[in-house]
């Protein structure tokens, strides 16, 4: 259709640190203390916008503090993308519940230039946004022990901004997904 392709995915960053290898001496393991109410988190939606020839153009994200992503939040996120880019747009995402329902159907009625497609089941490696989440969690935020939910929100936001500004990184995740 000659329009943009957008891959979308969601993730959650928990207060509990994701412990990875550390530089602690052998026999003296890293001890990480954290405070958290059960399941406090920052949910994140991410969209990698690709040109018609599958080059990474931009990365957009939206955070939801101590909340889950649902169909209403997803429809709002996609409407924001549609306001930013004109012309035909194809969104490719997984089969999650937040990608269907009345809010998504209403959004489709409002935007005839929008097409929705689904990734095949059990194929997260096809979505470059999944690679971004893995990189954020296992590299950028590994061993990160936030003081409170606001600290977690701040560091996730800073990491998302650095990710969006790094065009080489976005291209690498796009190529890694085979797009």
């Amino acid at each position: 259709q000659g329009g943009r392709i957008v891959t979308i995915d969601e993730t959650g960053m928990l207060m509990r640190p994701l412990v990875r290898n550390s530089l602690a001496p052998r026999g003296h393991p890293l001890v990480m203390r954290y405070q958290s109410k059960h399941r406090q988190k920052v949910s994140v939606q991410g969209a990698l916008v690709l040109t018609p020839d599958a080059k990474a153009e931009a990365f957009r994200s939206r955070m939801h503090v101590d909340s889950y992503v649902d169909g209403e939040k997803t429809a709002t996120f996609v409407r924001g993308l549609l306001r930013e880019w004109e012309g035909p747009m194809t969104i490719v995402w997984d089969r999650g519940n937040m990608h269907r329902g009345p809010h998504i159907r209403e959004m489709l009625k409002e935007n005839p230039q929008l097409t929705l497609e689904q990734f095949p089941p059990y194929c997260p490696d096809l979505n470059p946004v999944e690679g971004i989440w893995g990189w954020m969690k296992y590299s950028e935020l590994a061993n990160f022990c936030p003081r409170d939910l606001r600290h977690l929100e701040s560091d996730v936001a800073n990491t998302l901004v650095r990710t969006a500004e790094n065009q080489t990184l976005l291209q690498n995740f796009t190529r890694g997904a085979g797009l």
Side-chain angles (χ1 to χ4, degrees):
Q1 297 174 349
R4 287 179 175 79
I5 300 166
V6 181
T7 63
I8 293 180
D9 196 40
E10 302 77 24
T11 193
M13 309 289 186
L14 299 174
M15 287 287 293
R16 185 175 183 173
L18 182 68
V19 180
R20 303 294 292 169
N21 289 339
S22 73
L23 298 175
R26 187 178 301 268
H28 301 281
L30 176 67
V31 176
M32 301 180 82
R33 300 191 194 294
Y34 64 94
Q35 291 182 332
S36 169
K37 293 181 182 168
H38 182 66
R39 303 295 284 176
Q40 280 187 312
K41 70 200 149 303
V42 173
S43 297
V44 185
Q45 294 175 288
L48 184 61
V49 181
L50 307 172
T51 60
D53 59 345
K55 299 268 190 282
E57 183 174 355
F59 178 71
R60 297 293 184 261
S61 59
R62 185 166 184 198
M63 297 188 322
H64 306 280
V65 178
D66 217 15
S67 174
Y68 291 102
V69 175
D70 58 16
E72 183 177 5
K73 291 174 183 161
T74 300
T76 302
F77 182 59
V78 172
R79 282 185 184 102
L81 295 172
L82 290 165
R83 280 191 298 274
E84 194 170 347
W85 283 280
E86 294 181 11
M89 182 180 285
T90 300
I91 293 181
V92 188
W93 51 24
D94 60 22
R95 297 163 189 265
N97 288 335
M98 72 288 297
H99 300 152
R100 51 187 145 195
H103 298 287
I104 302 299
R105 288 191 294 273
E106 181 66 28
M107 179 193 58
L108 272 172
K109 285 181 196 172
E110 296 168 1
N111 299 286
Q113 77 277 25
L114 180 64
T115 305
L116 301 179
E117 297 291 338
Q118 293 181 329
F119 283 110
Y122 310 110
C123 293
D125 53 320
L126 296 177
N127 189 345
V129 180
E130 288 275 4
I132 292 170
W133 299 151
W135 173 77
M136 282 180 61
K137 288 180 177 183
Y138 294 98
S139 177
E140 295 299 291
L141 297 173
N143 297 333
F144 170 61
C145 209
R147 292 181 301 275
D148 53 25
L149 193 56
R150 184 173 294 220
H151 186 206
L152 175 63
E153 177 187 10
S154 172
D155 271 40
V156 169
N158 290 336
T159 305
L160 289 168
V161 168
R162 285 193 318 271
T163 303
E165 292 172 347
N166 190 336
Q167 202 61 30
T168 303
L169 185 69
L170 299 177
Q171 269 315 124
N172 287 340
F173 284 120
T174 303
R175 274 195 302 276
L179 299 178

